[in-house]
Amino acid sequence: MRIRHIAIFSAAVLAGALAGSLLGPHPAAAVNREMIDLQRDVTSLLQGQKELSDKVIQDHTVMRTLVEQSGDNVTKLAATMGSLQKSVQDVQANSGARLDTMSTQVQGLSDNLEEIKSRLGKLNQQLVDLQNSVQSLDAKISGAAPSPGTTNPAAGSAKPIASVGSPPGSSVIPVGAPSADTLYSNGLRDITSGKYDLARSEFQDYLKFYGDTDLASNAQFYLGEIAYSQKNYDVAVAEYEKVISNYPKSFKLAPARLKRGLALIELGQKPAGVRDLREVVKRYPGTEEDRRARAKLKELGVATTPTR
C-alpha cells in the first residue's frame, strides 16, 4: 500500500515537473509580446503627440499671421474711414458756399431775363407813343395841309423817343461814365465769376447814376450778396434791409428777406433770423425762397410758425 502511494506521488511529481518544463517558458513570451505591443503603442502615442504639437504650432502661426493681417486691414480701413470722413466734412463745409454761388448765378440769369422783359416793355411803349404821334400828325396833315416850304408846327410837338438805358429822372451822369446797361451787365458777370470787389464797385456806380431805374433794386440786392459771400454778415444785413425798405415793389423782396434772415443767424441773432424766415414762409408760399426757409427752420429745430 505504501509502495503504491510512493508510486502515485512519484508519478505526480514527474507529471508536475513535466508540466512545468512544458508550460514554464510560455508566460515569459506572453509578457515579452505585451511589452513589445505596449512599447509600440507608446511610440505611436508619442508620434501622434508630436504630430499634434506640430499641427498646433503650425495652426498658431497661421492664426497669428491672419490676426496680424486683420490688424493691418483694420488700420488701413480706419485710415480710409478717417479720410472719407474728412472729405464728407469738407463737402459739408463747402456745400453752403456752393449753393449760395449757384443761387447767385441763377438769380443773375433771372435778372437778365427780367432786364430783357423790361427793355421789351419800354420798346413796346415807345412804339405805341411813336404810333400815336404819327397818327396825330397824319390827322393834322389831313385836316390842314401846309403849303410847300412851310414848316409843319405839329412836327415839333411829337413826343421824343427816350433812348434805352437813359431812364427819366436819373442823376447827372458825368461825361465818359458807362451806360446803365454796361454797368449792370458787367456787375452780373463779375459777381458770378467771383470778382466781388469789382462787382461791388460796378453796382455802387449803377445805384449812384441810375438809382431810379427798374433794376436798381437788383443792384442793391447784389451788394448784399457780395457781402454775404465774403462773410461780412453785418454789412449784408444792412444791404438787404435797403432792398426791403427802399424798393417795396421789387421782385427781390423774397430773396432779400431770406438772405437777411440767414445772415442774422450767422451773426448769432437767431430769434431775429427765425422771424425773417417765418415771414418768407408766410408771404411767399410755393417759391424757392419758401423751400429754403423751411429747410433752414427744420435744420434749426424750430417750427415754421410761432407756437402759441
Side-chain angles (χ1 to χ4, degrees), residues 230-262:
Q230 295 180 325
K231 301 186 185 303
N232 297 325
Y233 299 116
D234 52 345
V235 177
V237 169
E239 299 292 2
Y240 293 134
E241 175 62 32
K242 291 178 183 178
V243 177
I244 298 171
S245 301
N246 299 340
Y247 304 96
K249 296 183 179 180
S250 171
F251 70 95
K252 288 296 185 184
L253 290 179
R257 192 175 294 275
L258 170 69
K259 296 303 289 289
R260 185 179 70 173
L262 296 177

Side-chain angles (χ1 to χ4, degrees), residues 38-51:
L38 181 60
Q39 288 176 354
R40 186 169 54 250
D41 293 340
V42 170
T43 301
S44 298
L45 182 60
L46 292 175
Q47 183 65 30
Q49 182 181 4
K50 184 177 182 302
E51 292 177 356

Side-chain angles (χ1 to χ4, degrees), residues 80-153:
T80 303
M81 289 297 294
S83 177
L84 180 61
Q85 184 177 8
K86 185 177 183 302
S87 300
V88 171
Q89 291 174 347
D90 292 341
V91 170
Q92 290 176 342
N94 295 331
S95 61
R98 292 178 180 176
L99 287 175
D100 288 335
T101 301
M102 292 177 61
S103 176
T104 300
Q105 292 174 346
V106 171
Q107 289 173 351
L109 294 174
S110 175
D111 288 347
N112 285 333
L113 179 60
E114 291 295 330
E115 182 182 4
I116 293 173
K117 290 168 61 178
S118 176
R119 290 182 181 180
L120 289 176
K122 290 179 180 179
L123 288 174
N124 183 60
Q125 184 61 44
Q126 290 172 6
L127 289 175
V128 172
D129 293 341
L130 179 60
Q131 184 178 7
N132 291 337
S133 298
V134 171
Q135 290 175 350
S136 177
L137 182 59
D138 287 343
K140 291 181 180 180
I141 291 175
S142 299
S147 60
T150 303
T151 302
N152 183 3

